[in-house]
Amino acid sequence: MVSTAQKGSIDRRDAAIVIAHLIVAFTALLIGGVAGLLQGLVRGGNFKLPFGIGYYQLLTAHGVLMAIIFTTYFIIGFIIGGSSKTMGGKLLPITRSLTWAGFLLMTVGTAVGTVLILLNKATVLYTFYAPMAASPWFYVALTLIVVGSWLSGFGLFYNLRYWKKKHPGQMSPLFTFMGVITMLLWLVATLGVAAEVLVQLIPWSFGWVDRINVLLSRTLFWYFGHPLVYFWLLPAYICWYVVIPKVIGGKYFSDALARLSFLLFLLFSIPVGFHHQLMEPGITPFWKYLQVVLTFMVVIPSLMTAFSMFATFEIRGRELGAKGLFGWVKKMPWGDVRFFAPFMGMLIFIPAGAGGIINASNQMNAVVHNTLWVTGHFHLTVASTVALTFFGVTYWLIPSVLGRQLTPRMHKLGITQTILWMVGMFFMSGSMHTVGLFGSPRRTAYTTYQDHPDAVLWMPYHVVMAIGGTILFVAVLLMIFNVIALLTAPKGETEFPIAEAIDAAAPTPRLFERWGVWIGILVVLILIAYTIPTMDMINNPVPGSPPIVTY
Ligand code: HAS
């Protein structure tokens, strides 16, 4: 069923939703990029911020705009676009209305939050740890963003339910299935941060209660904060599983494997937040140990994804005549930015994921926690693997839904942008990892600690970080230029690439769509991992802290 209101690859009204989300996402990328450049220069030394702007204010703007706003808007736009495409090219009116309502709420929240950060009333970094307190309206703004995103999720769930009724006995399209899992993961994860914000931060920052249980607030934050990273990663995996095989002219390796890996992410990415709190007192070692075990479980679906991608590349390579273990490499479409950018993301995820496994190991976490190593880790994961994949998607998504052409010039510009990003990130994240191992702390403005010999040795690495950050800023500018070029590209057609499973793949078990079963297991795992330690924090509370304004 293709709508008459269609100009591009999906209904015009769905296309409008996609484009609106992408425009906000890339605006956030630009402002966040400016903040990133300035803070990189500050840490490099010899650079003073103008107009009374504070380093931590910039750090907050950079973290919130890049990690929360750019990602969330992009993800919703991408999932809505792909779900529309794979469920017949047209979403239900109710889904559209819910998504627009969500967009509105999120955008009001984003605008209020950004203004408060720029006014220096919410300099609490993107993790907004208590007892650092922001203006209460900052927390209200965060609530609007979260509730807005839920509305889009509800719209998608409703649409899938409708599709299933109209297609009895059929498995849902893989893209939509994966999109639904991503939004479900987000919904369950954000319950933690919603509880933190509504029950703790808002009453405390408005002065309705005097003190906050800091340990509980951090625990609720990380209940959300770790699945947040998979909320970023899963849409990138959607591209790898569903889009990349089509772009290289092949099919994906196994529908069942792809769905199982997403189900495993749903189960294991939530009950693991303690691996961000391994160095914190107040949580007994047993519960940390249990959540570290579950953390290693959540590595498995990533390894399954790596296996599936290798299989897809190898099968396609052999079809094209490749020989040997890595013969497929020569057969890949290196001049196609839709492949090149996400593939670079995959390549980077090999060391990035290894870094994650190091972080999760208790003894090694003691070495790297709160150092620039961790900043290096998340610039390889979310700011490279995920961001490069999202950029790769942008090159076809915009022209495809708008009925425009992805021109050969755009491929070249996109490949140049990707290379710039890789080079900038090599210097920036590489020096962050190295100097982090020497002990240089994260979340800290420029200081030599009164010329302490250790700190003086860190400085050359900070200069390299600043150089890398500057190259990355040029790459951000080029990306913004590319987005504008895509929005105004010549009229025509661009494929919305959705692959099929290899014919010989085994059938997918029906159990994979028994949502009640999976949500049930998820709830049990969360209860096992969190009930006793959380009850302990509530029943034996620490004295608590009044709000502290450090800026
Ligand atoms: Fe992490 C901290 C552990 C993955 C993001 N992480 C962070 C923070 C962020 C973040 C933002 O256990 C900082 C939060 C803050 O502000 O404090 N992380 C892990 C583990 C994984 C992991 C075990 N992280 C991610 C992803 C992120 C992300 C993904 C964003 C998208 N992380 C931690 C821990 C901390 C942490 C601790 C706390 C540190 C501390 O002390 O503060 C795993 O999920 C990683 C598994 C991944 C793999 C890689 C598989 C490789 C693939 C590529 C295949 C390549 C192909 C191409 C096919 C095992 C799938 C091949 C081609 C050829 C030619 C070869």
Side-chain angles (χ1 to χ4, degrees), residues 428-500:
M428 194 179 86
S429 179
S431 45
M432 282 173 169
H433 273 95
T434 316
V435 78
L437 288 180
F438 296 155
S440 181
R442 66 183 284 207
R443 305 189 185 102
T444 306
Y446 176 76
T447 169
T448 56
Y449 300 90
Q450 294 166 339
D451 290 342
H452 187 282
D454 284 352
V456 170
L457 281 180
W458 302 334
M459 291 313 141
Y461 294 92
H462 288 204
V463 173
V464 180
M465 269 161 49
I467 295 170
T470 310
I471 300 174
L472 279 165
F473 181 67
V474 176
V476 166
L477 292 182
L478 182 54
M479 190 63 214
I480 300 297
F481 174 83
N482 289 352
V483 169
I484 296 170
L486 289 164
L487 287 167
T488 53
K491 294 223 162 32
E493 266 183 42
T494 296
E495 181 190 29
F496 197 122
I498 299 286
E500 289 166 19

Side-chain angles (χ1 to χ4, degrees), residues 348-367:
I348 292 179
F349 201 40
I350 297 174
I357 295 171
I358 290 172
N359 297 344
S361 314
N362 191 57
Q363 289 82 341
M364 289 196 261
N365 187 270
V367 177

Side-chain angles (χ1 to χ4, degrees), residues 64 68-69 72-73 102 105-111 113 140-150 186:
V64 170
I68 299 179
I69 305 304
T72 308
Y73 275 88
L105 279 186
M106 280 172 54
T107 308
V108 172
T110 303
V140 173
L142 291 177
T143 310
L144 293 180
I145 295 172
V146 168
V147 174
S149 66
W150 285 350
W186 175 249

Side-chain angles (χ1 to χ4, degrees), residues 126-127 129 222 226 229-230 232-233 237 240 275-276 278 295 298-299 302-303 305-306 309-310 313 326 328-329 343 346-347 349-350 352-357 359-361 365 368-370 374 377-378 381-382 386 442-443:
Y126 91 109
T127 40
Y129 276 168
W222 286 117
H226 193 71
V229 315
Y230 296 109
W232 299 330
L233 182 69
Y237 277 6
W240 298 4
H275 73 224
H276 291 263
L278 290 176
T295 303
V298 81
V299 172
S302 276
L303 296 176
T305 304
M309 295 318 298
F310 275 114
F313 294 143
F326 284 102
W328 56 266
V329 174
F343 188 85
M346 289 178 208
L347 217 53
F349 201 40
I350 297 174
I357 295 171
N359 297 344
S361 314
N365 187 270
V368 299
H369 184 64
N370 274 344
V374 176
H377 165 68
F378 66 71
T381 48
V382 63
V386 170
R442 66 183 284 207
R443 305 189 185 102

Side-chain angles (χ1 to χ4, degrees), residues 119-202:
L119 291 175
N120 201 21
K121 291 189 183 303
T123 300
V124 287
L125 311 192
Y126 91 109
T127 40
F128 47 91
Y129 276 168
M132 277 194 301
S135 153
W137 298 106
F138 179 69
Y139 304 117
V140 173
L142 291 177
T143 310
L144 293 180
I145 295 172
V146 168
V147 174
S149 66
W150 285 350
L151 294 185
S152 309
F154 293 146
L156 187 64
F157 302 154
Y158 187 81
N159 214 122
L160 177 63
R161 209 166 142 246
Y162 176 84
W163 188 95
K164 291 286 289 179
K165 269 200 199 140
K166 293 275 163 198
H167 300 81
Q170 282 185 38
M171 289 301 271
S172 54
L174 182 60
F175 189 114
T176 306
F177 176 89
M178 292 175 153
V180 163
I181 291 207
T182 308
M183 293 313 287
L184 197 58
L185 174 82
W186 175 249
L187 180 70
V188 181
T190 43
L191 293 176
V193 75
E196 181 199 3
V197 168
L198 295 178
V199 180
Q200 293 194 284
L201 295 173
I202 289 186

